[in-house]
Structures are given as structure tokens and as C-alpha cells.
Amino acid sequence: MPTTPATPAHSSSNATADAIMLELVDEDGTTIGTAEKLAAHQAPGQLHRAFSVFLFDEQGRLLLQRRALGKYHSPGVWSNTCCGHPYPGEAPFAAAARRTYEELGVSPSLLAAAGTVRYNHPDPVSGLVEQEFNHLYVGMVQERLRPDGEEVGETAFVTAGELAERHAAAPFSAWFMTVLDAARPAIRELTGSSAGW
């Protein structure tokens, strides 16, 4: 399983100085307001719009990232290729493409919608809560990664079997399996049945 350490490359938008606003939604995903990012994640959590990206290489391996240790939420754990929140009024697809470039320094060669999933995942370590209406995207990456070290600790391309081994041995984000399972039909369509997803 090739693993690549990240180095600082781009400016970070990891909410520290400036307040980042999120879009609050109802159970149908309709916008009902905004909230500051940290406040939206404090227990019991406010339902907000999010996105999750799953990118694959030409061999059908999933690109994982280990979140940087400086992240305020779920630092140092493995997760999907990229995840985040659209700014209020920003299309989720545009946000997914933007954050993939900001975090990993690549633009997907293909990015397609893969449905939505709603979940409530408390993080036992930080006490923060993920109450999210999550837009899922799957795609391909063919460029060399240039991760932003303030966002990404390291990256790895893994097969389905390698992911199972890694997931059993290392901490992953609380939301990872929920978003992966919801995206599986689109992932199988993208990678083919032989990839094992």
C-alpha cells in the first residue's frame, strides 16, 4: 500500500482566524439558515450540508487521506479522499472540486454525483457531532498528488482488501463507513465488479 507524506503546499482554510459559515438544512436537504462551523458541530450538532469525495486511480484503488494532526475535528485519522462543507449558496459539486484541489493539489479527471446520505455521528474523542446531509461524489484522479500539509497528514491508494486491513488496524473518521457504504453503488459502476468494492 503506497503511502505518501504530505508537505505544506497551499494556503489552508482550516477555520482558525476567520469564521467559516455552513449551510443549515432540514431533513429534505432544503436550506433553512447558516451557522458558524464549530458551533454547528458542537453537541447535539446542527444538521448542515456537507460533501464526501471518493477518487480512484486507473487500477480501481481508492485514494485515502489521513487528516492532519492540526485539524480541530478528527485529527490524525484516516478518511475518504476529501470531505467538507459548501459555503452558504455554493453548489456542493463546486465545493467538492474546490476542496479536492485545496487539500490534495489535484483536479479530478472525472467527478460524478453519487447520491446523498444523512447521518448523526458523535466523535467520542473530541465530543463534536457530525449532523450532516452529505452529497456524495465519485471520480478518477490521474495527476500527481500535491497535498497541503496543514490539511492532510498522508495519503494512500488502497484496494478494497487493503482498506479492510487498514480499517481494522488504524483509526478512521466516524463518518467514513457510512459515506462509503452509501457511495458503493456508484463506486461499483465506476470501478467495475472486479475491483471488489
Side-chain angles (χ1 to χ4, degrees):
M1 291 178 276
T3 299
T4 307
T7 55
H10 311 291
S11 62
S12 170
S13 60
N14 191 21
T16 48
D18 298 327
I20 294 178
M21 303 302 289
L22 306 185
E23 198 169 82
L24 301 180
V25 299
D26 64 17
E27 293 292 337
D28 297 317
T30 302
T31 303
I32 58 171
T34 60
E36 190 276 325
K37 183 178 179 179
L38 183 57
H41 288 89
Q42 290 173 333
Q46 296 174 284
L47 184 59
H48 57 275
R49 195 176 309 283
F51 65 83
S52 289
V53 176
F54 296 86
L55 296 183
F56 294 81
D57 66 10
E58 292 171 339
Q59 289 77 49
R61 299 179 304 169
L62 171 61
L63 173 58
L64 297 176
Q65 69 154 277
R66 187 175 61 80
R67 295 166 62 84
L69 292 174
K71 302 281 277 187
Y72 80 94
H73 189 353
S74 302
V77 301
W78 287 93
S79 199
N80 49 294
T81 307
C82 180
C83 53
H85 311 91
Y87 295 127
E90 182 182 26
F93 181 90
R98 172 180 58 79
R99 285 302 291 160
T100 299
Y101 184 80
E102 289 172 355
E103 292 187 9
L104 295 162
V106 295
S107 297
S109 56
L110 169 72
L111 192 63
T116 60
V117 62
R118 191 264 195 251
Y119 52 80
N120 174 3
H121 285 302
D123 177 21
V125 176
S126 68
L128 299 174
V129 178
E130 289 289 2
Q131 285 266 18
E132 293 189 332
F133 187 93
N134 197 305
H135 298 257
L136 307 172
Y137 298 95
V138 301
M140 302 284 296
V141 61
Q142 295 173 306
E143 300 177 52
R144 182 179 65 84
L145 301 176
R146 292 170 290 134
D148 178 349
E150 292 183 20
E151 298 285 346
V152 180
E154 60 185 302
T155 61
F157 283 94
V158 298
T159 65
E162 290 167 343
L163 173 62
E165 293 172 8
R166 187 179 287 258
H167 192 264
F172 271 70
S173 63
W175 61 88
F176 176 75
M177 287 308 298
T178 299
V179 293
L180 176 63
D181 287 344
R184 280 187 198 275
I187 290 170
R188 290 185 187 116
E189 187 175 331
L190 175 72
T191 63
S193 58
S194 62
W197 296 103

